[in-house]
């Protein structure tokens, strides 16, 4: 049994990661911000956490933490001329500064593991230029740089990797997938002709957390239906 912290573990990809890890008999400490409908189980304990509140603490965690997954994110797609500088800052605070704050507070616990693993999330839009994606790509680009830098700094004790999905069928993307027509159009943009699921992304996250990936660090793994490398 290993101990894992899932920030944003009550819905979407975070919930899928939590479910898979618990079925593999691991102890999961999952946080939520607004979605409080998940009951505790023998292996999963939920705790409220607002990553934008710097006063939070992790007194509920065990002394040794074997892995962490940082899931909070946003998808704000607008023309660049309509985005205020503060909008970029809002995304950055949630997706980058939030991750930094959490990591700095749990780092002592991660260091006590024999080989800890940290997973963060980027997007296919960082490496592929898409219209109206400047806001999301800017903060996720910072996540990619942070991932590589921390992988270098904490090797060989802690592994850091990021997953860069394409559009995934979760609550976060619900406005973009609000009808069958929108789902079909977005599916056609991918070489695999389908929209990714939370389970698709979670399976990669669980693999990267595991000892099966013990020689993988500093990587940005694209789980995107071929979007980043194949041209239709």
């Amino acid at each position: 049994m290993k101990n894992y912290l899932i920030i944003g573990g009550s819905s979407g990809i975070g919930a899928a990661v939590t479910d898979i890890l618990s079925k593999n008999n691991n102890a999961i400490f999952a946080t939520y911000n607004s979605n409080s409908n998940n009951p505790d189980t023998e292996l999963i304990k939920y705790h409220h956490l607002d990553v934008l509140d710097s006063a939070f603490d992790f007194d509920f965690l065990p002394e040794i933490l074997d892995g962490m997954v940082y899931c909070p994110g946003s998808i704000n797609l607008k023309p660049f001329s309509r985005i205020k500088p503060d909008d970029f800052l809002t995304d950055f605070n949630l997706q980058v500064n939030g991750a930094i704050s959490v990591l700095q507070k749990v780092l002592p616990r991660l260091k006590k593991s024999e080989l800890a693993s940290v997973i963060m999330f980027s997007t296919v839009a960082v490496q592929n230029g898409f219209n109206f994606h400047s806001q999301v790509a800017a903060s996720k680009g910072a996540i990619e740089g942070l991932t590589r830098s921390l992988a270098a700094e904490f090797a060989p004790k802690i592994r850091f990797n990021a997953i860069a999905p394409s559009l995934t069928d979760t609550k976060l993307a619900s406005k973009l997938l609000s009808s069958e027509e929108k789902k079909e159009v977005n599916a056609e943009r991918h070489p695999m002709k389908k929209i990714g699921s939370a389970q698709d992304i979670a399976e990669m996250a669980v693999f990267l957390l595991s000892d099966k990936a013990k020689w993988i660090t500093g990587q940005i793994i694209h789980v995107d239906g071929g979007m980043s490398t194949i041209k239709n």
Side-chain angles (χ1 to χ4, degrees), residues 73-78 91 95 133 135-136 166-168 170-176:
S74 60
I75 304 176
N76 295 304
L77 307 184
K78 299 178 183 178
D91 274 13
Q95 300 181 127
H133 279 67
Q135 187 172 339
V136 63
S166 183
L167 188 62
T168 306
T170 64
K171 183 178 180 180
L172 190 64
S174 59
K175 290 182 179 180
L176 303 175

Side-chain angles (χ1 to χ4, degrees), residues 4-5 13 16 22-23 33 61 73-74 81-82 95 99 105-106 133 138 147 161 167 170 189 201 209 211 228-229 231:
Y4 293 105
L5 171 64
I13 294 169
S22 65
K23 287 178 178 177
N33 186 17
L61 290 177
S74 60
S81 60
R82 289 174 48 196
Q95 300 181 127
K105 292 187 177 186
V106 303
H133 279 67
T147 297
N161 294 288
L167 188 62
T170 64
R189 296 173 60 228
I201 313 304
L209 287 170
D211 291 341
S228 60
T229 54
K231 304 302 180 185

Side-chain angles (χ1 to χ4, degrees), residues 14-31:
V17 172
T18 296
D19 181 61
I20 297 170
L21 288 174
S22 65
K23 287 178 178 177
N24 291 337
N25 200 39
N26 296 292
I28 315 301
F29 302 87
T31 74

Side-chain angles (χ1 to χ4, degrees), residues 169 176-177 179-188 195:
D169 192 1
L176 303 175
L177 301 171
S179 68
E180 287 303 315
E181 182 181 1
K182 287 183 179 180
K183 289 181 179 180
E184 290 176 9
V185 169
N186 278 292
E188 281 298 314
I195 301 296

